[in-house]
Amino acid sequence: MTKVVNYISEAFEELKSNVTWPEWSEVQRLTIVVAVFSVLFALATWGVDEIFAKALAGFFNWIKA
């Protein structure tokens, strides 16, 4: 248990002393960029899914006929 506590203590010390944290404005800007690309990627995935669903439906209707 002492090793775990020591590890966590050293990890927090590392975060305080050796990590360069970005400015709040940069964090906000990058968060917006990530959110926008996430929405765009979700829309692109939805669009491709719709196209394949319609293509497969058309294919199976063509086979049935």
Side-chain angles (χ1 to χ4, degrees), residues 8 15 22-23 30 34 41 47-48 50 54 61 65:
I8 292 172
L15 287 172
E23 296 293 323
L30 292 176
V34 168
F41 186 73
V48 169
E50 286 294 315
K54 289 182 186 204
N61 284 336

Side-chain angles (χ1 to χ4, degrees), residues 38-62:
S38 295
V39 169
L40 290 175
F41 186 73
L43 289 173
T45 303
W46 172 77
V48 169
D49 181 55
E50 286 294 315
I51 289 170
F52 278 120
K54 289 182 186 204
L56 283 173
F59 176 73
F60 285 120
N61 284 336
W62 176 70

Side-chain angles (χ1 to χ4, degrees), residues 2-56:
T2 306
K3 288 183 179 183
V4 173
V5 172
N6 190 29
Y7 174 78
I8 292 172
S9 169
E10 288 177 3
F12 276 111
E13 186 59 38
E14 183 83 16
L15 287 172
K16 281 194 253 178
S17 61
N18 295 336
V19 174
T20 304
W21 297 99
E23 296 293 323
W24 181 244
S25 60
E26 185 180 7
V27 171
Q28 289 175 326
R29 182 180 59 81
L30 292 176
T31 300
I32 291 170
V33 168
V34 168
V36 167
F37 276 102
S38 295
V39 169
L40 290 175
F41 186 73
L43 289 173
T45 303
W46 172 77
V48 169
D49 181 55
E50 286 294 315
I51 289 170
F52 278 120
K54 289 182 186 204
L56 283 173

